């Protein structure tokens, strides 16, 4: 899926899983090989790869292969979409709460 087509549902679903959130947290310190990323998790490399595919599909992670090593890093696309979604909803709720405050003051 092209990164431009990232949907909020995909990002929220991906981050709804504690293993994938933990993977994202580990990648905050910089790129890691899949084997290094998998170290703290008690699961097969196949399961790790499946989690990474979900993170890649929603634009949170990107991986690349150099020789025999596949390395993963965070990707801005999914995070940018998430930030935009949060900002839009924050603005809506701030306006609503401001109106409520005005009504309560009257």
């Amino acid at each position: 899926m092209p990164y431009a087509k990232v949907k909020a549902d995909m990002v929220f679903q991906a981050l709804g899983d504690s293993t994938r959130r933990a993977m994202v947290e580990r990648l905050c310190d910089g790129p890691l090989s899949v084997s290094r990323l998998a170290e703290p998790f008690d699961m097969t490399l196949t399961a790790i790869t499946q989690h990474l595919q979900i993170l890649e599909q929603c634009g949170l992670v990107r991986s690349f292969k150099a020789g025999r090593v596949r390395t993963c890093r965070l990707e801005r696309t999914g995070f940018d979409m998430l930030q935009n979604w949060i900002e839009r909803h924050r603005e809506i709720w701030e306006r609503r709460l401001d109106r409520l405050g005005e009504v309560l003051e009257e």
Side-chain angles (χ1 to χ4, degrees):
M1 163 178 273
Y3 286 111
K5 303 252 185 202
V6 170
K7 304 256 191 281
D9 291 348
M10 292 174 65
V11 175
F12 284 115
Q13 184 175 6
L15 293 175
D17 182 90
S18 61
T19 299
R20 290 191 286 269
R21 283 193 311 274
M23 289 175 156
V24 168
E25 286 292 325
R26 284 186 46 83
L27 290 170
C28 284
D29 292 330
L32 291 171
S33 68
V34 173
S35 58
R36 288 285 312 249
L37 182 62
E39 285 175 357
F41 302 104
D42 186 26
M43 61 181 64
T44 66
L45 204 51
T46 301
I48 293 292
T49 301
Q50 290 171 343
H51 282 294
L52 285 171
Q53 286 173 345
I54 292 168
L55 291 169
E56 283 191 80
Q57 288 171 351
C58 69
L60 293 170
V61 170
R62 181 168 281 181
S63 69
F64 55 94
K65 195 168 184 177
R68 296 179 61 178
V69 177
R70 179 160 294 280
T71 301
C72 302
R73 65 174 175 81
L74 292 180
E75 174 67 28
R76 286 190 57 134
T77 306
F79 292 103
D80 288 345
M81 185 284 318
L82 190 59
Q83 181 178 358
N84 292 337
W85 187 91
I86 290 169
E87 287 298 320
R88 279 195 315 271
H89 287 84
R90 179 189 316 237
E91 291 169 6
I92 290 167
W93 281 103
E94 284 176 352
R95 282 194 305 269
R96 289 178 182 175
L97 291 172
D98 288 345
R99 278 188 253 145
L100 176 61
E102 292 168 3
V103 169
L104 293 175
E105 285 179 6
E106 292 176 1

